[in-house]
Amino acid sequence: MINKIIIFLFVIMLVGCSTQQPIVRTTKPPYKKPTAVVVNTPKKPVPTKTETTTKSSTTKTSTTNQNTNQNSQSEILEATTRVKVTTAMVLDYISKYKDVAKSNMKQYGIPSSIILGQGILESGAGTGPLSSLANNHFGIKCHKGWTGPSVKYDDDEAQECFRKYELPNESYKDHALFLTSRAWYLPLFDLEKDDYKQWAIGLKKAGYATDPKYPEKLIGIIERYQLNKYDSEVLGTEYIPLNTKDQISLKSNLYQVSQGDTLYSISKKFNITIEDLKKKNNIGENTISLGQNLIIK
């Protein structure tokens, strides 16, 4: 009996313990994957080594071109035609014809500054059509009595007759004869030989040009390139440099390549070795092009 009681109590204890144990699940609830939020943030492009080098090279080239442009200033010359020339071209023209102008001043009494200034303006520093076709550097028309060669060119009227010369120097001589042989230009020779302003105004009054701004253009060229310096050299007077903002130094360090030029001829002209010339201008081969500006100093 006692044994039965003990067994009964033991059974009751077992049942009580089993009802108090936690329930353990053997299967997991389905996993819900969180939704990802995508934000499109634009990225700044990272320059490659090539791009960086190109940008740096472009900047250097731009700076170099800017410096070159400052040394190769251009202007528009307009008389019988409209042409664009560089400072180097005008300085080269002055170098070629200054001695002719000084000689004509001594012989005919016309200021060198006026001669050179008109030559630059009328011929476009030797690049205009009339100077190229007819060596006519002063836009002198045929007029009555001219029996020499001529060319037709549109000016104030269509196909006007202009004088043609064998050489540019003949044009310079005819310019002097043209002014000294006509009565309406005679008042000019009563002016002071170094008074280029009154000479410029007098030429317009005498009918040399129809352009109302002719004196202004001529005076501007004379002062810009200090052409009155040659008047002083002929007269033996002291030259006082003009103080103008547009003044160009005659000691330019640039030379513009002309037809027939070679590195050898340019080196001889400016007393510089070919190697130095190539080095100053970063020239690898013995090749130069027409119109190219070369550093010669």
Side-chain angles (χ1 to χ4, degrees), residues 91-110:
L91 292 176
D92 187 45
Y93 184 90
I94 294 170
S95 177
K96 286 181 180 178
Y97 298 108
K98 65 181 180 181
D99 290 335
V100 178
K102 290 167 65 176
S103 177
N104 282 7
M105 179 177 181
K106 293 175 183 177
Q107 185 174 355
Y108 300 102
I110 305 167

Side-chain angles (χ1 to χ4, degrees), residues 50-230:
T50 303
E51 291 173 337
T52 305
T53 303
T54 303
K55 183 177 180 180
S56 176
S57 176
T58 303
T59 303
K60 290 181 180 178
T61 302
S62 177
T63 303
T64 301
N65 289 340
Q66 184 177 6
N67 292 335
T68 301
N69 289 336
Q70 290 175 347
N71 291 326
S72 310
Q73 300 177 49
S74 62
E75 60 182 293
I76 301 295
L77 298 178
E78 184 177 7
T80 53
T81 188
R82 181 182 175 88
V83 296
K84 184 177 182 180
V85 297
T86 64
T87 298
M89 293 167 66
V90 178
L91 292 176
D92 187 45
Y93 184 90
I94 294 170
S95 177
K96 286 181 180 178
Y97 298 108
K98 65 181 180 181
D99 290 335
V100 178
K102 290 167 65 176
S103 177
N104 282 7
M105 179 177 181
K106 293 175 183 177
Q107 185 174 355
Y108 300 102
I110 305 167
S112 299
S113 57
I114 290 293
I115 297 172
L116 280 172
Q118 284 193 284
I120 293 168
L121 178 58
E122 296 286 349
S123 74
T127 67
L130 283 177
S131 57
S132 300
L133 295 172
N135 283 318
N136 189 333
H137 285 229
F138 296 90
I140 299 178
K141 298 178 182 180
C142 293
H143 299 289
K144 293 181 180 179
W146 176 254
T147 58
S150 64
V151 295
K152 299 293 185 180
Y153 187 77
D154 293 347
D155 189 33
D156 295 324
E157 297 178 6
Q159 294 297 286
E160 291 191 87
C161 182
F162 285 86
R163 300 184 182 188
K164 182 178 181 180
Y165 306 95
E166 186 72 22
L167 299 170
N169 284 15
E170 295 177 6
S171 174
Y172 270 76
K173 182 177 181 179
D174 196 38
H175 168 261
L177 294 175
F178 186 83
L179 293 183
T180 55
S181 62
R182 284 162 172 73
W184 48 90
Y185 292 119
L186 292 181
L188 291 172
F189 295 89
D190 293 329
L191 300 172
E192 296 294 333
K193 296 297 181 287
D194 58 355
D195 194 350
Y196 61 87
K197 290 184 179 180
Q198 288 303 314
W199 271 82
I201 295 171
L203 282 168
K204 173 63 179 67
K205 287 182 178 180
Y208 192 96
T210 57
D211 184 355
K213 294 185 178 181
Y214 191 83
E216 177 183 333
K217 293 178 180 179
L218 184 54
I219 292 170
I221 290 174
I222 291 172
E223 294 184 345
R224 180 174 172 78
Y225 294 96
Q226 309 168 59
L227 301 182
N228 59 325
K229 170 186 177 181
Y230 304 112

